[in-house]
Amino acid sequence: MSEATPERPGPDLLPILIVPDARLRQKCRAVGPADADVVRALAPRMLATMYKAPGIGLAAPQVGQLLRMCVVDIQKDDVREPLILVNPEITAVSKDLSTREEGCLSLPGQYADVTRPAEVKLRWLDLDGSKQELHADGLLATCLQHELDHLDGVLFVDHISALKRNMLLRKLAKDMKLRQREAM
Ligand code: NI
């Protein structure tokens, strides 16, 4: 005889804002001690939302919270290694650049090559308020820079030519209209 084990529900998923939502263009404020509860509740929901999407990074403004916080997990070799970054700051960047194709959960289906520093040094606070530091390269370096940009209202399309950006934004608007029509 076996008892059915009830499936444990994961954290509630959050709706992801899509361009041109104005909140994606705001500069986020630093997380302070008074935000501790909000940030603690937000982190698991942001991670669950990111994994479900699926994506490798998600910044708080993408779920409508204008706070300097993001989650990242590049899931190398399919292993989950979540980073929760509160008040992250880039402290050094390499002269070497690298170009990678980027996408964004707030611009679904749109991709472009973006050139950024190949390596970055970063510091942030974890959920316990402890200082953390990391020297990142490769995909992780790109992903971290992309997520930190979000905290200043900057999107990956701001790093490409105006011509490419406008093409991509027009295509996004068209895709979203189509999606809306299909949902009706
Ligand atoms: Ni993004």
Side-chain angles (χ1 to χ4, degrees), residues 68-95:
R68 301 192 79 80
M69 174 191 177
C70 58
V71 296
V72 164
D73 190 348
I74 58 167
Q75 295 155 70
K76 199 176 169 217
D77 306 319
D78 284 332
V79 177
R80 284 190 182 181
E81 214 176 320
L83 283 175
I84 298 164
L85 304 101
V86 174
N87 294 342
E89 276 176 85
I90 289 173
T91 54
V93 296
S94 64
K95 273 191 197 146

mmCIF file with all atom_site columns, all heavy atoms in Angstrom, residues 68-95:
data_model
loop_
_atom_site.group_PDB
_atom_site.id
_atom_site.type_symbol
_atom_site.label_atom_id
_atom_site.label_alt_id
_atom_site.label_comp_id
_atom_site.label_asym_id
_atom_site.label_entity_id
_atom_site.label_seq_id
_atom_site.pdbx_PDB_ins_code
_atom_site.Cartn_x
_atom_site.Cartn_y
_atom_site.Cartn_z
_atom_site.occupancy
_atom_site.B_iso_or_equiv
_atom_site.pdbx_formal_charge
_atom_site.auth_seq_id
_atom_site.auth_comp_id
_atom_site.auth_asym_id
_atom_site.auth_atom_id
_atom_site.pdbx_PDB_model_num
ATOM 1   N N   . ARG A 1 68 ? 17.511 47.088 -6.758  1.00 0.00 ? 68 ARG A N   1
ATOM 2   C CA  . ARG A 1 68 ? 18.767 46.596 -7.333  1.00 0.00 ? 68 ARG A CA  1
ATOM 3   C C   . ARG A 1 68 ? 19.013 45.164 -6.864  1.00 0.00 ? 68 ARG A C   1
ATOM 4   O O   . ARG A 1 68 ? 19.693 44.908 -5.876  1.00 0.00 ? 68 ARG A O   1
ATOM 5   C CB  . ARG A 1 68 ? 19.925 47.529 -6.963  1.00 0.00 ? 68 ARG A CB  1
ATOM 6   C CG  . ARG A 1 68 ? 19.710 48.945 -7.458  1.00 0.00 ? 68 ARG A CG  1
ATOM 7   C CD  . ARG A 1 68 ? 20.934 49.810 -7.370  1.00 0.00 ? 68 ARG A CD  1
ATOM 8   N NE  . ARG A 1 68 ? 21.856 49.561 -8.456  1.00 0.00 ? 68 ARG A NE  1
ATOM 9   C CZ  . ARG A 1 68 ? 21.732 50.062 -9.679  1.00 0.00 ? 68 ARG A CZ  1
ATOM 10  N NH1 . ARG A 1 68 ? 20.712 50.843 -9.992  1.00 0.00 ? 68 ARG A NH1 1
ATOM 11  N NH2 . ARG A 1 68 ? 22.630 49.787 -10.603 1.00 0.00 ? 68 ARG A NH2 1
ATOM 12  N N   . MET A 1 69 ? 18.434 44.258 -7.605  1.00 0.00 ? 69 MET A N   1
ATOM 13  C CA  . MET A 1 69 ? 18.539 42.845 -7.278  1.00 0.00 ? 69 MET A CA  1
ATOM 14  C C   . MET A 1 69 ? 18.327 42.029 -8.547  1.00 0.00 ? 69 MET A C   1
ATOM 15  O O   . MET A 1 69 ? 17.513 42.400 -9.387  1.00 0.00 ? 69 MET A O   1
ATOM 16  C CB  . MET A 1 69 ? 17.444 42.498 -6.273  1.00 0.00 ? 69 MET A CB  1
ATOM 17  C CG  . MET A 1 69 ? 17.349 41.048 -5.961  1.00 0.00 ? 69 MET A CG  1
ATOM 18  S SD  . MET A 1 69 ? 15.847 40.761 -5.044  1.00 0.00 ? 69 MET A SD  1
ATOM 19  C CE  . MET A 1 69 ? 15.938 38.997 -4.907  1.00 0.00 ? 69 MET A CE  1
ATOM 20  N N   . CYS A 1 70 ? 19.084 40.937 -8.676  1.00 0.00 ? 70 CYS A N   1
ATOM 21  C CA  . CYS A 1 70 ? 18.855 40.048 -9.812  1.00 0.00 ? 70 CYS A CA  1
ATOM 22  C C   . CYS A 1 70 ? 19.249 38.625 -9.439  1.00 0.00 ? 70 CYS A C   1
ATOM 23  O O   . CYS A 1 70 ? 19.928 38.400 -8.431  1.00 0.00 ? 70 CYS A O   1
ATOM 24  C CB  . CYS A 1 70 ? 19.616 40.527 -11.045 1.00 0.00 ? 70 CYS A CB  1
ATOM 25  S SG  . CYS A 1 70 ? 21.380 40.674 -10.837 1.00 0.00 ? 70 CYS A SG  1
ATOM 26  N N   . VAL A 1 71 ? 18.786 37.690 -10.237 1.00 0.00 ? 71 VAL A N   1
ATOM 27  C CA  . VAL A 1 71 ? 19.175 36.293 -10.060 1.00 0.00 ? 71 VAL A CA  1
ATOM 28  C C   . VAL A 1 71 ? 19.788 35.803 -11.367 1.00 0.00 ? 71 VAL A C   1
ATOM 29  O O   . VAL A 1 71 ? 19.386 36.234 -12.454 1.00 0.00 ? 71 VAL A O   1
ATOM 30  C CB  . VAL A 1 71 ? 17.976 35.392 -9.655  1.00 0.00 ? 71 VAL A CB  1
ATOM 31  C CG1 . VAL A 1 71 ? 17.441 35.795 -8.298  1.00 0.00 ? 71 VAL A CG1 1
ATOM 32  C CG2 . VAL A 1 71 ? 16.870 35.423 -10.693 1.00 0.00 ? 71 VAL A CG2 1
ATOM 33  N N   . VAL A 1 72 ? 20.774 34.932 -11.250 1.00 0.00 ? 72 VAL A N   1
ATOM 34  C CA  . VAL A 1 72 ? 21.509 34.420 -12.402 1.00 0.00 ? 72 VAL A CA  1
ATOM 35  C C   . VAL A 1 72 ? 21.811 32.948 -12.168 1.00 0.00 ? 72 VAL A C   1
ATOM 36  O O   . VAL A 1 72 ? 22.131 32.547 -11.042 1.00 0.00 ? 72 VAL A O   1
ATOM 37  C CB  . VAL A 1 72 ? 22.834 35.217 -12.574 1.00 0.00 ? 72 VAL A CB  1
ATOM 38  C CG1 . VAL A 1 72 ? 23.800 34.489 -13.492 1.00 0.00 ? 72 VAL A CG1 1
ATOM 39  C CG2 . VAL A 1 72 ? 22.559 36.627 -13.108 1.00 0.00 ? 72 VAL A CG2 1
ATOM 40  N N   . ASP A 1 73 ? 21.674 32.146 -13.202 1.00 0.00 ? 73 ASP A N   1
ATOM 41  C CA  . ASP A 1 73 ? 22.163 30.769 -13.165 1.00 0.00 ? 73 ASP A CA  1
ATOM 42  C C   . ASP A 1 73 ? 22.381 30.320 -14.598 1.00 0.00 ? 73 ASP A C   1
ATOM 43  O O   . ASP A 1 73 ? 21.412 30.108 -15.329 1.00 0.00 ? 73 ASP A O   1
ATOM 44  C CB  . ASP A 1 73 ? 21.163 29.844 -12.449 1.00 0.00 ? 73 ASP A CB  1
ATOM 45  C CG  . ASP A 1 73 ? 21.769 28.472 -12.183 1.00 0.00 ? 73 ASP A CG  1
ATOM 46  O OD1 . ASP A 1 73 ? 22.843 28.176 -12.736 1.00 0.00 ? 73 ASP A OD1 1
ATOM 47  O OD2 . ASP A 1 73 ? 21.165 27.701 -11.422 1.00 0.00 ? 73 ASP A OD2 1
ATOM 48  N N   . ILE A 1 74 ? 23.651 30.187 -14.997 1.00 0.00 ? 74 ILE A N   1
ATOM 49  C CA  . ILE A 1 74 ? 23.904 29.789 -16.391 1.00 0.00 ? 74 ILE A CA  1
ATOM 50  C C   . ILE A 1 74 ? 23.748 28.278 -16.567 1.00 0.00 ? 74 ILE A C   1
ATOM 51  O O   . ILE A 1 74 ? 23.819 27.776 -17.678 1.00 0.00 ? 74 ILE A O   1
ATOM 52  C CB  . ILE A 1 74 ? 25.284 30.273 -16.904 1.00 0.00 ? 74 ILE A CB  1
ATOM 53  C CG1 . ILE A 1 74 ? 26.424 29.733 -16.045 1.00 0.00 ? 74 ILE A CG1 1
ATOM 54  C CG2 . ILE A 1 74 ? 25.321 31.797 -16.976 1.00 0.00 ? 74 ILE A CG2 1
ATOM 55  C CD1 . ILE A 1 74 ? 27.790 29.930 -16.688 1.00 0.00 ? 74 ILE A CD1 1
ATOM 56  N N   . GLN A 1 75 ? 23.523 27.550 -15.457 1.00 0.00 ? 75 GLN A N   1
ATOM 57  C CA  . GLN A 1 75 ? 23.210 26.112 -15.511 1.00 0.00 ? 75 GLN A CA  1
ATOM 58  C C   . GLN A 1 75 ? 24.203 25.350 -16.381 1.00 0.00 ? 75 GLN A C   1
ATOM 59  O O   . GLN A 1 75 ? 23.824 24.584 -17.270 1.00 0.00 ? 75 GLN A O   1
ATOM 60  C CB  . GLN A 1 75 ? 21.777 25.918 -16.016 1.00 0.00 ? 75 GLN A CB  1
ATOM 61  C CG  . GLN A 1 75 ? 20.762 26.497 -15.050 1.00 0.00 ? 75 GLN A CG  1
ATOM 62  C CD  . GLN A 1 75 ? 19.449 26.873 -15.716 1.00 0.00 ? 75 GLN A CD  1
ATOM 63  O OE1 . GLN A 1 75 ? 18.699 25.995 -16.120 1.00 0.00 ? 75 GLN A OE1 1
ATOM 64  N NE2 . GLN A 1 75 ? 19.175 28.156 -15.836 1.00 0.00 ? 75 GLN A NE2 1
ATOM 65  N N   . LYS A 1 76 ? 25.494 25.573 -16.102 1.00 0.00 ? 76 LYS A N   1
ATOM 66  C CA  . LYS A 1 76 ? 26.551 24.890 -16.852 1.00 0.00 ? 76 LYS A CA  1
ATOM 67  C C   . LYS A 1 76 ? 26.417 23.386 -16.634 1.00 0.00 ? 76 LYS A C   1
ATOM 68  O O   . LYS A 1 76 ? 26.246 22.935 -15.504 1.00 0.00 ? 76 LYS A O   1
ATOM 69  C CB  . LYS A 1 76 ? 27.912 25.398 -16.360 1.00 0.00 ? 76 LYS A CB  1
ATOM 70  C CG  . LYS A 1 76 ? 29.028 25.130 -17.326 1.00 0.00 ? 76 LYS A CG  1
ATOM 71  C CD  . LYS A 1 76 ? 30.336 25.729 -16.838 1.00 0.00 ? 76 LYS A CD  1
ATOM 72  C CE  . LYS A 1 76 ? 31.458 25.197 -17.705 1.00 0.00 ? 76 LYS A CE  1
ATOM 73  N NZ  . LYS A 1 76 ? 32.667 24.967 -16.931 1.00 0.00 ? 76 LYS A NZ  1
ATOM 74  N N   . ASP A 1 77 ? 26.509 22.627 -17.727 1.00 0.00 ? 77 ASP A N   1
ATOM 75  C CA  . ASP A 1 77 ? 26.342 21.166 -17.689 1.00 0.00 ? 77 ASP A CA  1
ATOM 76  C C   . ASP A 1 77 ? 25.028 20.771 -17.009 1.00 0.00 ? 77 ASP A C   1
ATOM 77  O O   . ASP A 1 77 ? 24.952 19.729 -16.348 1.00 0.00 ? 77 ASP A O   1
ATOM 78  C CB  . ASP A 1 77 ? 27.517 20.494 -16.956 1.00 0.00 ? 77 ASP A CB  1
ATOM 79  C CG  . ASP A 1 77 ? 28.862 20.888 -17.550 1.00 0.00 ? 77 ASP A CG  1
ATOM 80  O OD1 . ASP A 1 77 ? 28.950 20.964 -18.784 1.00 0.00 ? 77 ASP A OD1 1
ATOM 81  O OD2 . ASP A 1 77 ? 29.814 21.129 -16.778 1.00 0.00 ? 77 ASP A OD2 1
ATOM 82  N N   . ASP A 1 78 ? 23.996 21.628 -17.180 1.00 0.00 ? 78 ASP A N   1
ATOM 83  C CA  . ASP A 1 78 ? 22.661 21.350 -16.626 1.00 0.00 ? 78 ASP A CA  1
ATOM 84  C C   . ASP A 1 78 ? 22.624 21.291 -15.096 1.00 0.00 ? 78 ASP A C   1
ATOM 85  O O   . ASP A 1 78 ? 21.684 20.748 -14.520 1.00 0.00 ? 78 ASP A O   1
ATOM 86  C CB  . ASP A 1 78 ? 22.080 20.047 -17.199 1.00 0.00 ? 78 ASP A CB  1
ATOM 87  C CG  . ASP A 1 78 ? 21.576 20.250 -18.619 1.00 0.00 ? 78 ASP A CG  1
ATOM 88  O OD1 . ASP A 1 78 ? 21.194 21.395 -18.941 1.00 0.00 ? 78 ASP A OD1 1
ATOM 89  O OD2 . ASP A 1 78 ? 21.570 19.278 -19.388 1.00 0.00 ? 78 ASP A OD2 1
ATOM 90  N N   . VAL A 1 79 ? 23.661 21.797 -14.459 1.00 0.00 ? 79 VAL A N   1
ATOM 91  C CA  . VAL A 1 79 ? 23.684 21.810 -12.994 1.00 0.00 ? 79 VAL A CA  1
ATOM 92  C C   . VAL A 1 79 ? 23.220 23.187 -12.517 1.00 0.00 ? 79 VAL A C   1
ATOM 93  O O   . VAL A 1 79 ? 23.715 24.210 -12.980 1.00 0.00 ? 79 VAL A O   1
ATOM 94  C CB  . VAL A 1 79 ? 25.102 21.523 -12.453 1.00 0.00 ? 79 VAL A CB  1
ATOM 95  C CG1 . VAL A 1 79 ? 25.124 21.615 -10.931 1.00 0.00 ? 79 VAL A CG1 1
ATOM 96  C CG2 . VAL A 1 79 ? 25.576 20.151 -12.919 1.00 0.00 ? 79 VAL A CG2 1
ATOM 97  N N   . ARG A 1 80 ? 22.260 23.189 -11.599 1.00 0.00 ? 80 ARG A N   1
ATOM 98  C CA  . ARG A 1 80 ? 21.759 24.460 -11.091 1.00 0.00 ? 80 ARG A CA  1
ATOM 99  C C   . ARG A 1 80 ? 22.678 25.020 -10.014 1.00 0.00 ? 80 ARG A C   1
ATOM 100 O O   . ARG A 1 80 ? 23.043 24.305 -9.071  1.00 0.00 ? 80 ARG A O   1
ATOM 101 C CB  . ARG A 1 80 ? 20.347 24.299 -10.535 1.00 0.00 ? 80 ARG A CB  1
ATOM 102 C CG  . ARG A 1 80 ? 19.330 24.201 -11.641 1.00 0.00 ? 80 ARG A CG  1
ATOM 103 C CD  . ARG A 1 80 ? 17.923 24.277 -11.100 1.00 0.00 ? 80 ARG A CD  1
ATOM 104 N NE  . ARG A 1 80 ? 16.974 24.138 -12.211 1.00 0.00 ? 80 ARG A NE  1
ATOM 105 C CZ  . ARG A 1 80 ? 15.665 24.175 -12.068 1.00 0.00 ? 80 ARG A CZ  1
ATOM 106 N NH1 . ARG A 1 80 ? 15.136 24.335 -10.875 1.00 0.00 ? 80 ARG A NH1 1
ATOM 107 N NH2 . ARG A 1 80 ? 14.884 24.052 -13.111 1.00 0.00 ? 80 ARG A NH2 1
ATOM 108 N N   . GLU A 1 81 ? 23.065 26.269 -10.210 1.00 0.00 ? 81 GLU A N   1
ATOM 109 C CA  . GLU A 1 81 ? 23.936 26.938 -9.254  1.00 0.00 ? 81 GLU A CA  1
ATOM 110 C C   . GLU A 1 81 ? 23.474 28.394 -9.160  1.00 0.00 ? 81 GLU A C   1
ATOM 111 O O   . GLU A 1 81 ? 24.098 29.285 -9.730  1.00 0.00 ? 81 GLU A O   1
ATOM 112 C CB  . GLU A 1 81 ? 25.385 26.860 -9.740  1.00 0.00 ? 81 GLU A CB  1
ATOM 113 C CG  . GLU A 1 81 ? 26.386 26.750 -8.625  1.00 0.00 ? 81 GLU A CG  1
ATOM 114 C CD  . GLU A 1 81 ? 27.807 26.585 -9.159  1.00 0.00 ? 81 GLU A CD  1
ATOM 115 O OE1 . GLU A 1 81 ? 28.002 25.856 -10.151 1.00 0.00 ? 81 GLU A OE1 1
ATOM 116 O OE2 . GLU A 1 81 ? 28.698 27.212 -8.574  1.00 0.00 ? 81 GLU A OE2 1
ATOM 117 N N   . PRO A 1 82 ? 22.340 28.618 -8.485  1.00 0.00 ? 82 PRO A N   1
ATOM 118 C CA  . PRO A 1 82 ? 21.740 29.955 -8.513  1.00 0.00 ? 82 PRO A CA  1
ATOM 119 C C   . PRO A 1 82 ? 22.561 30.994 -7.755  1.00 0.00 ? 82 PRO A C   1
ATOM 120 O O   . PRO A 1 82 ? 23.103 30.711 -6.680  1.00 0.00 ? 82 PRO A O   1
ATOM 121 C CB  . PRO A 1 82 ? 20.382 29.745 -7.842  1.00 0.00 ? 82 PRO A CB  1
ATOM 122 C CG  . PRO A 1 82 ? 20.523 28.506 -7.034  1.00 0.00 ? 82 PRO A CG  1
ATOM 123 C CD  . PRO A 1 82 ? 21.537 27.646 -7.727  1.00 0.00 ? 82 PRO A CD  1
ATOM 124 N N   . LEU A 1 83 ? 22.648 32.162 -8.342  1.00 0.00 ? 83 LEU A N   1
ATOM 125 C CA  . LEU A 1 83 ? 23.241 33.317 -7.667  1.00 0.00 ? 83 LEU A CA  1
ATOM 126 C C   . LEU A 1 83 ? 22.124 34.320 -7.425  1.00 0.00 ? 83 LEU A C   1
ATOM 127 O O   . LEU A 1 83 ? 21.361 34.633 -8.333  1.00 0.00 ? 83 LEU A O   1
ATOM 128 C CB  . LEU A 1 83 ? 24.286 33.986 -8.561  1.00 0.00 ? 83 LEU A CB  1
ATOM 129 C CG  . LEU A 1 83 ? 25.660 33.348 -8.712  1.00 0.00 ? 83 LEU A CG  1
ATOM 130 C CD1 . LEU A 1 83 ? 26.473 34.130 -9.741  1.00 0.00 ? 83 LEU A CD1 1
ATOM 131 C CD2 . LEU A 1 83 ? 26.388 33.342 -7.363  1.00 0.00 ? 83 LEU A CD2 1
ATOM 132 N N   . ILE A 1 84 ? 22.029 34.817 -6.198  1.00 0.00 ? 84 ILE A N   1
ATOM 133 C CA  . ILE A 1 84 ? 21.076 35.881 -5.878  1.00 0.00 ? 84 ILE A CA  1
ATOM 134 C C   . ILE A 1 84 ? 21.908 37.094 -5.519  1.00 0.00 ? 84 ILE A C   1
ATOM 135 O O   . ILE A 1 84 ? 22.680 37.052 -4.553  1.00 0.00 ? 84 ILE A O   1
ATOM 136 C CB  . ILE A 1 84 ? 20.161 35.463 -4.706  1.00 0.00 ? 84 ILE A CB  1
ATOM 137 C CG1 . ILE A 1 84 ? 19.331 34.235 -5.103  1.00 0.00 ? 84 ILE A CG1 1
ATOM 138 C CG2 . ILE A 1 84 ? 19.260 36.620 -4.287  1.00 0.00 ? 84 ILE A CG2 1
ATOM 139 C CD1 . ILE A 1 84 ? 18.699 33.507 -3.929  1.00 0.00 ? 84 ILE A CD1 1
ATOM 140 N N   . LEU A 1 85 ? 21.803 38.138 -6.314  1.00 0.00 ? 85 LEU A N   1
ATOM 141 C CA  . LEU A 1 85 ? 22.680 39.298 -6.144  1.00 0.00 ? 85 LEU A CA  1
ATOM 142 C C   . LEU A 1 85 ? 21.890 40.519 -5.715  1.00 0.00 ? 85 LEU A C   1
ATOM 143 O O   . LEU A 1 85 ? 21.003 40.980 -6.434  1.00 0.00 ? 85 LEU A O   1
ATOM 144 C CB  . LEU A 1 85 ? 23.427 39.602 -7.442  1.00 0.00 ? 85 LEU A CB  1
ATOM 145 C CG  . LEU A 1 85 ? 24.257 38.444 -8.016  1.00 0.00 ? 85 LEU A CG  1
ATOM 146 C CD1 . LEU A 1 85 ? 23.504 37.775 -9.147  1.00 0.00 ? 85 LEU A CD1 1
ATOM 147 C CD2 . LEU A 1 85 ? 25.601 38.925 -8.525  1.00 0.00 ? 85 LEU A CD2 1
ATOM 148 N N   . VAL A 1 86 ? 22.193 41.023 -4.534  1.00 0.00 ? 86 VAL A N   1
ATOM 149 C CA  . VAL A 1 86 ? 21.556 42.225 -4.006  1.00 0.00 ? 86 VAL A CA  1
ATOM 150 C C   . VAL A 1 86 ? 22.576 43.365 -4.079  1.00 0.00 ? 86 VAL A C   1
ATOM 151 O O   . VAL A 1 86 ? 23.745 43.175 -3.704  1.00 0.00 ? 86 VAL A O   1
ATOM 152 C CB  . VAL A 1 86 ? 21.098 41.988 -2.547  1.00 0.00 ? 86 VAL A CB  1
ATOM 153 C CG1 . VAL A 1 86 ? 20.564 43.280 -1.937  1.00 0.00 ? 86 VAL A CG1 1
ATOM 154 C CG2 . VAL A 1 86 ? 20.031 40.892 -2.490  1.00 0.00 ? 86 VAL A CG2 1
ATOM 155 N N   . ASN A 1 87 ? 22.136 44.495 -4.596  1.00 0.00 ? 87 ASN A N   1
ATOM 156 C CA  . ASN A 1 87 ? 23.012 45.665 -4.783  1.00 0.00 ? 87 ASN A CA  1
ATOM 157 C C   . ASN A 1 87 ? 24.336 45.308 -5.470  1.00 0.00 ? 87 ASN A C   1
ATOM 158 O O   . ASN A 1 87 ? 25.414 45.683 -5.008  1.00 0.00 ? 87 ASN A O   1
ATOM 159 C CB  . ASN A 1 87 ? 23.295 46.347 -3.434  1.00 0.00 ? 87 ASN A CB  1
ATOM 160 C CG  . ASN A 1 87 ? 22.045 46.966 -2.836  1.00 0.00 ? 87 ASN A CG  1
ATOM 161 O OD1 . ASN A 1 87 ? 21.057 47.194 -3.538  1.00 0.00 ? 87 ASN A OD1 1
ATOM 162 N ND2 . ASN A 1 87 ? 22.065 47.237 -1.543  1.00 0.00 ? 87 ASN A ND2 1
ATOM 163 N N   . PRO A 1 88 ? 24.270 44.583 -6.584  1.00 0.00 ? 88 PRO A N   1
ATOM 164 C CA  . PRO A 1 88 ? 25.513 44.195 -7.254  1.00 0.00 ? 88 PRO A CA  1
ATOM 165 C C   . PRO A 1 88 ? 26.195 45.394 -7.908  1.00 0.00 ? 88 PRO A C   1
ATOM 166 O O   . PRO A 1 88 ? 25.518 46.339 -8.346  1.00 0.00 ? 88 PRO A O   1
ATOM 167 C CB  . PRO A 1 88 ? 25.045 43.203 -8.327  1.00 0.00 ? 88 PRO A CB  1
ATOM 168 C CG  . PRO A 1 88 ? 23.637 43.592 -8.619  1.00 0.00 ? 88 PRO A CG  1
ATOM 169 C CD  . PRO A 1 88 ? 23.076 44.108 -7.322  1.00 0.00 ? 88 PRO A CD  1
ATOM 170 N N   . GLU A 1 89 ? 27.520 45.339 -7.933  1.00 0.00 ? 89 GLU A N   1
ATOM 171 C CA  . GLU A 1 89 ? 28.320 46.401 -8.551  1.00 0.00 ? 89 GLU A CA  1
ATOM 172 C C   . GLU A 1 89 ? 29.467 45.761 -9.300  1.00 0.00 ? 89 GLU A C   1
ATOM 173 O O   . GLU A 1 89 ? 30.116 44.853 -8.775  1.00 0.00 ? 89 GLU A O   1
ATOM 174 C CB  . GLU A 1 89 ? 28.953 47.281 -7.473  1.00 0.00 ? 89 GLU A CB  1
ATOM 175 C CG  . GLU A 1 89 ? 28.085 48.375 -6.934  1.00 0.00 ? 89 GLU A CG  1
ATOM 176 C CD  . GLU A 1 89 ? 28.832 49.077 -5.806  1.00 0.00 ? 89 GLU A CD  1
ATOM 177 O OE1 . GLU A 1 89 ? 29.623 49.983 -6.109  1.00 0.00 ? 89 GLU A OE1 1
ATOM 178 O OE2 . GLU A 1 89 ? 28.641 48.658 -4.655  1.00 0.00 ? 89 GLU A OE2 1
ATOM 179 N N   . ILE A 1 90 ? 29.750 46.280 -10.476 1.00 0.00 ? 90 ILE A N   1
ATOM 180 C CA  . ILE A 1 90 ? 30.939 45.851 -11.212 1.00 0.00 ? 90 ILE A CA  1
ATOM 181 C C   . ILE A 1 90 ? 32.101 46.688 -10.711 1.00 0.00 ? 90 ILE A C   1
ATOM 182 O O   . ILE A 1 90 ? 32.024 47.921 -10.685 1.00 0.00 ? 90 ILE A O   1
ATOM 183 C CB  . ILE A 1 90 ? 30.720 46.011 -12.736 1.00 0.00 ? 90 ILE A CB  1
ATOM 184 C CG1 . ILE A 1 90 ? 29.712 44.954 -13.207 1.00 0.00 ? 90 ILE A CG1 1
ATOM 185 C CG2 . ILE A 1 90 ? 32.042 45.872 -13.489 1.00 0.00 ? 90 ILE A CG2 1
ATOM 186 C CD1 . ILE A 1 90 ? 29.275 45.103 -14.639 1.00 0.00 ? 90 ILE A CD1 1
ATOM 187 N N   . THR A 1 91 ? 33.174 46.034 -10.273 1.00 0.00 ? 91 THR A N   1
ATOM 188 C CA  . THR A 1 91 ? 34.307 46.774 -9.710  1.00 0.00 ? 91 THR A CA  1
ATOM 189 C C   . THR A 1 91 ? 35.478 46.846 -10.682 1.00 0.00 ? 91 THR A C   1
ATOM 190 O O   . THR A 1 91 ? 36.368 47.670 -10.515 1.00 0.00 ? 91 THR A O   1
ATOM 191 C CB  . THR A 1 91 ? 34.770 46.126 -8.389  1.00 0.00 ? 91 THR A CB  1
ATOM 192 O OG1 . THR A 1 91 ? 35.030 44.739 -8.625  1.00 0.00 ? 91 THR A OG1 1
ATOM 193 C CG2 . THR A 1 91 ? 33.700 46.250 -7.324  1.00 0.00 ? 91 THR A CG2 1
ATOM 194 N N   . ALA A 1 92 ? 35.505 45.972 -11.691 1.00 0.00 ? 92 ALA A N   1
ATOM 195 C CA  . ALA A 1 92 ? 36.560 46.020 -12.704 1.00 0.00 ? 92 ALA A CA  1
ATOM 196 C C   . ALA A 1 92 ? 36.094 45.285 -13.952 1.00 0.00 ? 92 ALA A C   1
ATOM 197 O O   . ALA A 1 92 ? 35.317 44.327 -13.860 1.00 0.00 ? 92 ALA A O   1
ATOM 198 C CB  . ALA A 1 92 ? 37.833 45.360 -12.166 1.00 0.00 ? 92 ALA A CB  1
ATOM 199 N N   . VAL A 1 93 ? 36.546 45.778 -15.102 1.00 0.00 ? 93 VAL A N   1
ATOM 200 C CA  . VAL A 1 93 ? 36.243 45.093 -16.366 1.00 0.00 ? 93 VAL A CA  1
ATOM 201 C C   . VAL A 1 93 ? 37.542 44.883 -17.140 1.00 0.00 ? 93 VAL A C   1
ATOM 202 O O   . VAL A 1 93 ? 38.482 45.671 -17.002 1.00 0.00 ? 93 VAL A O   1
ATOM 203 C CB  . VAL A 1 93 ? 35.254 45.900 -17.253 1.00 0.00 ? 93 VAL A CB  1
ATOM 204 C CG1 . VAL A 1 93 ? 33.910 46.048 -16.576 1.00 0.00 ? 93 VAL A CG1 1
ATOM 205 C CG2 . VAL A 1 93 ? 35.820 47.269 -17.614 1.00 0.00 ? 93 VAL A CG2 1
ATOM 206 N N   . SER A 1 94 ? 37.603 43.829 -17.918 1.00 0.00 ? 94 SER A N   1
ATOM 207 C CA  . SER A 1 94 ? 38.801 43.552 -18.722 1.00 0.00 ? 94 SER A CA  1
ATOM 208 C C   . SER A 1 94 ? 38.812 44.453 -19.947 1.00 0.00 ? 94 SER A C   1
ATOM 209 O O   . SER A 1 94 ? 37.766 44.947 -20.384 1.00 0.00 ? 94 SER A O   1
ATOM 210 C CB  . SER A 1 94 ? 38.802 42.094 -19.166 1.00 0.00 ? 94 SER A CB  1
ATOM 211 O OG  . SER A 1 94 ? 37.697 41.836 -20.022 1.00 0.00 ? 94 SER A OG  1
ATOM 212 N N   . LYS A 1 95 ? 40.026 44.657 -20.494 1.00 0.00 ? 95 LYS A N   1
ATOM 213 C CA  . LYS A 1 95 ? 40.129 45.381 -21.765 1.00 0.00 ? 95 LYS A CA  1
ATOM 214 C C   . LYS A 1 95 ? 39.649 44.489 -22.893 1.00 0.00 ? 95 LYS A C   1
ATOM 215 O O   . LYS A 1 95 ? 39.087 44.965 -23.875 1.00 0.00 ? 95 LYS A O   1
ATOM 216 C CB  . LYS A 1 95 ? 41.585 45.788 -22.014 1.00 0.00 ? 95 LYS A CB  1
ATOM 217 C CG  . LYS A 1 95 ? 41.919 47.118 -21.370 1.00 0.00 ? 95 LYS A CG  1
ATOM 218 C CD  . LYS A 1 95 ? 43.262 47.627 -21.836 1.00 0.00 ? 95 LYS A CD  1
ATOM 219 C CE  . LYS A 1 95 ? 43.746 48.714 -20.896 1.00 0.00 ? 95 LYS A CE  1
ATOM 220 N NZ  . LYS A 1 95 ? 45.192 48.718 -20.717 1.00 0.00 ? 95 LYS A NZ  1
#
